[in-house]
Amino acid sequence: MRRAAFLKSLAALAAAGAVPGAWAQPGANLKMLIPANPGGGWDITGRALGKALLDARQAATVVYENKGGAAGALGLAPFLAGAKGDANQLMVMGAVMLGGLITSKSPLNLMQATPLARLTTEYNVFVLPANSPHKTMADVVAQLKKDPGSVKWGGGSRGSTEHIAAAMIAQKVGSDPGKINYVAFRGGGEATAAILGGNVTVGGSGYSEFAEYIAAGKMKAIAVTSPQRLPGLDAPTLKEQGIDVEIGNWRGVFGGPGITPPQRKALIDALVATTQSPSWQEALKKNGWTPALLAGDEFTKFVEAEFTNLRTIMTQSGMIQG
């Protein structure tokens, strides 16, 4: 009887989240690290995911912390140290973080954290400021061929998918990718302000970050990095324009280092349930994201393969030395 009573009490405590290391839905109080400044793709993704977790009753509360810089590395470092063994902490991440770690040759090991799930894929769109003397990607390419350094490409951190795409474009059109003038910003808000202010020649990011400005006529979309045109956007693909470049930007979620297999499963189950919720489906539609759910060990394998693939692309395009 004593053992039965003890187990019953333990179960009650776990359900209330009072057992150290326990993670229970819907009573979890989650902390979401967004390793970027407000206004960018990771910020939009993290806050949309947090809202969907709440709406789907997979969390009781969600608090957010923005810590941008160095393609997410400035946020990754304290996450690896401070979230160890804590199953109530999540970190939004994606292809940009992998590219940034490769470019900077960072000593940080992302895989010390716990891969949970890939959520979305989003292709990049390249835009011109409304007052740009250029009208098309062909105009940009012509200037690029004449003087590579005179074209200022604005976007996210070094190693981001738009940075990689810019180098690939230069390579494909016969310009020197090592001479591209890429201006990296710490967050989407800063990049958007630079584009609107005409401080860069061409800007690149996910469509969701530029959609309202394109619709308002403040930016002109001149190319997308997708295999086909994006729904609702009147912009040709790079391939349509004779530039053989295609690259996507995926986003996912990691948990803290050293969480237990049951804790990891609980987090993955919560994320999978959340992606099926009306709230998340609304976020997908609103932001033009393509659902790309991949969870657990399959996601781990995907991230490891992505490190290899991105390193190859970046070496071939002249961004890094092999």
Side-chain angles (χ1 to χ4, degrees):
M1 290 296 292
R2 288 182 180 179
R3 183 173 183 276
F6 170 76
L7 292 175
K8 185 176 181 180
S9 297
L10 187 64
L13 286 169
V19 175
W23 195 88
Q25 308 100 351
N29 298 304
L30 300 181
K31 180 179 180 180
M32 180 95 64
L33 173 67
I34 301 171
N37 289 352
W42 284 348
D43 187 58
I44 296 170
T45 301
R47 292 176 190 276
L49 177 62
K51 180 180 183 301
L53 282 162
L54 294 171
D55 291 346
R57 295 184 173 275
Q58 297 299 318
T61 62
V62 180
V63 296
Y64 308 93
E65 179 183 5
N66 287 85
K67 193 172 183 63
L74 291 186
L76 174 60
F79 183 78
L80 291 177
K84 188 174 182 179
D86 187 347
N88 284 353
Q89 293 200 46
L90 302 174
M91 178 183 69
V92 179
M93 51 72 67
V96 171
M97 182 175 284
L98 274 60
L101 292 173
I102 294 169
T103 302
S104 65
K105 298 181 180 179
S106 171
L108 296 174
N109 181 1
L110 171 64
M111 303 311 285
Q112 287 180 349
T114 304
L116 298 176
R118 183 185 68 190
L119 300 175
T120 64
T121 294
E122 183 178 30
Y123 291 99
N124 292 119
V125 56
F126 284 106
V127 298
L128 299 172
N131 62 352
S132 172
H134 303 305
K135 303 301 178 187
T136 65
M137 179 59 79
D139 294 338
V140 175
V141 167
Q143 184 179 341
L144 185 69
K145 288 181 176 180
K146 183 178 179 181
D147 182 2
S150 69
V151 178
K152 293 175 70 174
W153 302 82
S157 303
R158 298 189 67 81
S160 64
T161 50
E162 55 266 30
H163 184 191
I164 297 170
M168 292 172 72
I169 290 170
Q171 180 196 39
K172 294 296 183 180
V173 302
S175 186
D176 185 350
K179 293 183 179 179
I180 65 168
N181 184 1
Y182 185 80
V183 184
F185 295 93
R186 289 167 61 94
E190 294 178 11
T192 296
I195 297 164
L196 293 174
N199 297 320
V200 296
T201 310
V202 57
S205 190
Y207 176 46
S208 61
E209 295 186 38
F210 293 156
E212 64 177 292
Y213 304 102
I214 294 171
K218 296 180 179 180
M219 296 180 182
K220 177 178 175 57
I222 58 171
V224 291
T225 63
S226 52
Q228 293 90 30
R229 293 194 179 203
L230 300 179
L233 178 62
D234 184 22
T237 67
L238 286 166
K239 287 190 172 182
E240 280 183 68
Q241 301 178 73
I243 304 171
D244 188 18
V245 172
E246 176 187 326
I247 186 169
N249 181 18
W250 56 268
R251 298 190 180 106
V253 184
F254 269 56
I259 62 174
T260 67
Q263 289 171 334
R264 183 191 187 211
K265 183 179 185 304
L267 285 169
I268 291 171
D269 289 347
L271 290 168
V272 170
T274 297
T275 62
Q276 298 168 357
S277 70
S279 180
W280 183 249
Q281 295 302 313
E282 181 183 342
L284 292 174
K285 182 177 180 181
K286 176 183 176 181
N287 294 291
W289 295 333
T290 300
L293 181 64
L294 190 67
D297 292 343
E298 291 303 310
F299 178 51
T300 301
K301 294 175 184 176
F302 168 80
V303 174
E304 291 171 341
E306 276 289 277
F307 265 117
T308 300
N309 294 339
L310 283 175
R311 188 174 284 107
T312 298
I313 291 172
M314 293 165 80
T315 301
Q316 291 176 345
S317 63
M319 289 180 65
I320 60 173
Q321 298 299 313

